[in-house]
């Protein structure tokens, strides 16, 4: 029996956050499945249709930090409700789109709404959950995201089998209205502050330009776009990024939370997060090539073989959250990365002619390891920061995830371009994934004593 119990009000408030998280995550995975249909409908090439997904992710990345800063300054609740409203309206506009330009613009607007929600969901979770059981709230968020990620293609297939692609977006509308009503009634306000501050519009614009150029350039490299243009954009982003970061060092409340990096637990958690998501994405992107190209499995079987990973993460995350209520989160996260590395090694040494079952349980080991890591790492990251800076810290956490995932995808592209065969390419990717997983584990171990002091 729990020492601390939630009221019905708490449960319903959490439900508003979880509904919106499901919508924002699903709108990446379900749209992927519908891209061929949309390309045919709007008369564009397959490569052009990818913009329906890319623009959504790009806008989220550009706006996460400004939105998180606005949440810290004004109201996490108001930012969340604004995001839900924008996302719901944009979903209706996506469904009503009669041209490719309109759906791309509507998806960009959806990205604005998703950024507002993602930028403050951790901060709201911290306000709703008592400190002692905060890990359970973060684990629940991770579990819901895992479920949405795993179920996305299935949900999309089910909808497309009985209705048009428009319903992939229309289904968001009633859930968005419900989330808004629950959030308006039940989500908490920010803790009171002694001083009032104004929003730093210059830093906001700098953030949008730097992250927009950076992620567009990296994405262009991975899509094998115009190399010269990609290099120019990347160099421009890096130069502007230097000025942006230097400006943040001179501010009392920086938009990019460079001051929080002075907190050793926080900075180590960010480095750990980036390395872990590089390790995860390098394996998850390269393994389907192994299953399809080297093992000769069908597309359907390959999709099923990828499922045990997110399912195992979903099951283990809440268990890990309860475990670290009484045990060291840094050591637990390090052990998780160790288990993940073991799972990747088991996939590397798998013999030819291996059965689907023997691959599935190896994938589950990877998922177990990541589930052991993710929630404890998030707990350390959140609790290492002052409560009034939770929005910025949460935005940086999401940015670290996106940076890791993007770098992982870019590294996979680079490896495949430099190696001779698919089998060699996948093996190199898995070796690099192991290296990053072990690095993440070492970062996590190095903060173990600080975590113990912080919890005492």
């Amino acid at each position: 029996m729990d020492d601390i119990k939630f009221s019905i009000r708490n449960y319903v408030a959490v439900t508003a956050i979880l509904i919106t998280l499901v919508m924002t995550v699903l709108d990446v995975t379900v749209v992927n499945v519908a891209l061929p249909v949309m390309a045919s409908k709007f008369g564009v090439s397959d490569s052009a249709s990818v913009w329906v997904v890319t623009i959504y992710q790009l806008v989220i990345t550009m706006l996460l930090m400004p939105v998180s800063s606005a949440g810290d300054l004004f109201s996490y609740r108001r930012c969340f409700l604004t995001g839900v409203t924008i996302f719901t309206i944009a979903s209706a506009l996506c469904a009503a789109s009669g041209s490719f330009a309109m759906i791309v613009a509507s998806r960009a607007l959806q990205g604005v709404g998703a950024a507002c929600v993602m930028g403050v969901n951790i901060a709201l979770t911290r306000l709703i959950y008592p400190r002692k059981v905060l890990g359970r709230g973060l684990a629940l968020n991770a579990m819901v995201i895992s479920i949405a990620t795993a179920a996305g293609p299935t949900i999309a297939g089910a909808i497309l089998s009985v209705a048009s692609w428009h319903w992939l977006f229309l289904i968001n509308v009633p859930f968005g209205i419900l989330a808004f009503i629950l959030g308006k009634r039940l989500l908490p306000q920010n803790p009171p502050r002694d001083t009032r501050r104004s929003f730093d519009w210059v830093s906001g614009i700098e953030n949008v330009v730097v992250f927009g150029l950076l992620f567009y350039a990296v994405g262009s490299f991975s899509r094998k776009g115009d190399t010269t243009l990609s290099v120019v954009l990347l160099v421009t982003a890096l130069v502007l990024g230097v000025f942006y970061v230097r400006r943040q060092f001179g501010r009392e409340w920086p938009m990019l939370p460079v001051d929080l990096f002075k907190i050793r637990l926080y900075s180590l958690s960010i480095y750990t997060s980036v390395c872990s998501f590089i390790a995860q994405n390098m394996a998850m992107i390269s393994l389907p090539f192994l299953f399809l190209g080297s093992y000769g499995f069908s597309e359907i079987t390959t999709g099923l073989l990828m499922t045990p990973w997110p399912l195992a993460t979903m099951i283990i995350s809440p268990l890990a959250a309860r475990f670290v209520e009484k045990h060291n989160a840094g050591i637990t996260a390090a052990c998780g990365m160790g288990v993940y590395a073991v799972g990747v090694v088991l996939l590397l040494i798998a013999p030819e002619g291996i059965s689907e079952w023997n691959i599935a349980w190896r994938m589950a080991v990877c998922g177990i390891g990541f589930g052991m890591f993710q929630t404890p790492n998030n707990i350390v990251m959140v609790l290492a920061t002052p409560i009034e800076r939770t929005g910025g810290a949460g935005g940086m956490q999401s940015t670290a995830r996106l940076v890791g995932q993007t770098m992982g995808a870019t590294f996979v592209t680079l490896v495949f371009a430099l190696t001779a065969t698919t089998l060699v390419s996948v093996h190199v990717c898995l070796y690099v994934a192991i290296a990053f997983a072990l690095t993440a584990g070492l970062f996590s171990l190095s903060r173990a004593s600080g975590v113990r002091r912080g919890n005492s």
Side-chain angles (χ1 to χ4, degrees):
M1 187 172 181
D2 295 337
D3 295 326
I4 299 175
K5 293 185 177 179
F6 257 7
S7 67
I8 297 298
R9 181 184 180 91
N10 293 131
Y11 277 119
V12 179
V14 168
T15 301
I17 297 174
L18 297 181
I19 289 173
T20 315
L21 275 180
V22 169
M23 290 194 301
T24 54
V25 173
L26 278 179
D27 263 51
V28 176
T29 54
V30 298
V31 174
N32 282 338
V33 176
L35 284 182
V37 178
M38 290 178 160
S40 175
K41 161 69 178 176
F42 294 115
V44 298
S45 65
D46 290 343
S47 58
S49 71
V50 175
W51 269 106
V52 178
V53 174
T54 303
I55 192 66
Y56 179 73
Q57 296 172 315
L58 186 62
V59 170
I60 292 173
T61 305
M62 293 161 64
L63 293 179
L64 266 176
M65 296 312 304
V67 165
S68 300
S69 177
D72 283 337
L73 282 171
F74 307 116
S75 169
Y76 302 132
R77 176 177 175 272
R78 192 185 309 165
C79 189
F80 177 88
L81 294 176
T82 301
V84 173
T85 302
I86 293 173
F87 188 88
T88 305
I89 292 172
S91 296
L93 290 174
C94 285
S97 295
S99 67
F100 185 66
M102 182 175 176
I103 195 167
V104 169
S106 300
R107 284 286 283 172
L109 188 62
Q110 257 194 330
V112 175
C116 291
V117 171
M118 293 181 183
V120 299
N121 85 84
I122 291 175
L124 286 170
T125 300
R126 185 175 185 179
L127 292 180
I128 293 171
Y129 282 83
R131 179 187 176 96
K132 186 172 182 180
V133 294
L134 174 61
R136 302 182 194 183
L138 297 176
L140 187 58
N141 285 2
M143 184 176 74
V144 166
I145 290 172
S146 295
I147 292 173
T149 301
T154 304
I155 292 173
I159 292 174
L160 292 174
S161 67
V162 297
S164 68
W165 62 267
H166 304 79
W167 285 95
L168 296 175
F169 301 105
L170 280 175
I171 198 172
N172 291 329
V173 175
F175 287 107
I177 294 172
L178 176 61
F180 181 87
I181 293 171
L182 295 178
K184 187 172 178 60
R185 288 179 175 271
L186 301 174
L187 287 176
Q189 296 287 357
N190 288 29
R193 289 193 181 85
D194 297 330
T195 58
R196 294 183 62 83
R197 293 175 286 122
S198 59
F199 185 76
D200 184 359
W201 287 100
V202 174
S203 291
I205 294 171
E206 287 177 336
N207 186 92
V208 168
V209 173
V210 169
F211 279 98
L213 290 177
L214 180 63
F215 278 80
Y216 181 85
V218 172
S220 181
F221 277 121
S222 64
R223 293 189 299 270
K224 299 180 180 179
D226 187 324
T227 303
T228 303
L229 177 62
S230 300
V231 170
V232 170
L233 292 177
L234 183 60
V235 171
T236 304
L238 294 176
V239 171
L240 292 176
V242 171
F243 289 101
Y244 174 44
V245 172
R246 288 182 63 182
R247 175 181 171 81
Q248 303 310 298
F249 276 114
R251 304 192 66 81
E252 183 181 0
W253 299 89
M255 180 170 294
L256 186 70
V258 290
D259 58 324
L260 295 182
F261 280 85
K262 297 176 183 177
I263 304 172
R264 185 171 181 272
L265 279 181
Y266 179 78
S267 59
L268 285 173
S269 298
I270 290 291
Y271 304 148
T272 303
S273 184
V274 171
C275 290
S276 69
F277 280 105
I278 291 174
Q280 183 197 50
N281 235 28
M282 289 201 72
M284 291 202 80
I285 292 174
S286 61
L287 282 171
F289 291 95
L290 180 69
F291 299 156
L292 284 165
S294 298
Y295 294 166
F297 294 126
S298 67
E299 288 84 354
I300 295 175
T301 301
T302 297
L304 291 173
L305 288 175
M306 298 301 293
T307 304
W309 185 323
L311 287 180
T313 300
M314 175 191 75
I315 293 168
I316 294 299
S317 287
L319 300 178
R322 287 178 177 266
F323 182 81
V324 297
E325 288 172 14
K326 297 182 179 179
H327 299 86
N328 190 291
I331 294 175
T332 304
C335 290
M337 278 289 96
V339 172
Y340 170 82
V342 169
V344 178
V345 169
L346 290 171
L347 289 166
L348 261 174
I349 64 175
E352 291 186 18
I354 187 172
S355 67
E356 291 91 333
W357 161 249
N358 277 320
I359 292 176
W361 72 259
R362 287 170 165 83
M363 295 291 287
V365 171
C366 293
I368 289 170
F370 210 82
M372 289 173 62
F373 161 81
Q374 189 173 22
T375 300
N377 187 64
N378 290 347
I379 292 171
V380 176
M381 196 182 308
V382 171
L383 293 182
T385 59
I387 192 167
E388 69 272 11
R389 300 295 304 284
T390 307
M396 193 65 211
Q397 177 181 331
S398 298
T399 302
R401 171 175 54 81
L402 290 168
V403 168
Q405 290 173 336
T406 304
M407 289 178 68
T410 304
F411 289 159
V412 170
T413 302
L414 183 62
V415 169
F416 271 71
L418 296 177
T419 47
T421 66
T422 298
L423 183 61
V424 172
S425 298
V426 175
H427 280 188
V428 171
C429 287
L430 295 183
Y431 279 120
V432 176
I434 292 169
F436 274 105
L438 294 177
T439 302
L442 290 174
F443 275 134
S444 192
L445 272 181
S446 68
R447 63 189 173 167
S449 60
V451 172
R452 186 159 53 245
R453 286 193 300 271
N455 291 347
S456 58

